[in-house]
Amino acid sequence: MDGLILAGVALSVAGLGGILWCIVTVWRAKRAGLDDDALRARLQRVVTVNLAALLTSALGLGLIAVGLILA
């Protein structure tokens, strides 16, 4: 069960890293002063990564919960 918990922690940390990457990328894009179309194109890519990071983090938290219940 320790393996499930450790895998869950790893997934949660990876998801959190992805979310932090999204925050920094959006912050930099807004400060770059891009026009509307360029900013929209950059943010569409970030939304996809953000959803994947949230899913990864949620799966990690689920693994942690299952590991704790089974332990």
Side-chain angles (χ1 to χ4, degrees):
M1 296 314 124
D2 289 338
L4 279 177
I5 295 172
L6 289 176
V9 168
L11 280 175
S12 293
V13 169
L16 182 61
I19 292 169
L20 290 175
W21 177 85
C22 291
I23 291 170
V24 170
T25 302
V26 169
W27 181 65
R28 286 181 182 168
K30 285 186 175 186
R31 289 192 61 194
L34 302 172
D35 64 341
D36 241 10
D37 293 330
L39 183 62
R40 188 176 311 231
R42 192 172 290 184
L43 292 182
Q44 282 179 347
R45 178 175 170 248
V46 172
V47 167
T48 305
V49 174
N50 190 30
L51 288 174
L54 286 171
L55 176 65
T56 303
S57 183
L59 287 174
L61 289 174
L63 278 177
I64 291 170
V66 168
L68 289 174
I69 290 170
L70 293 176

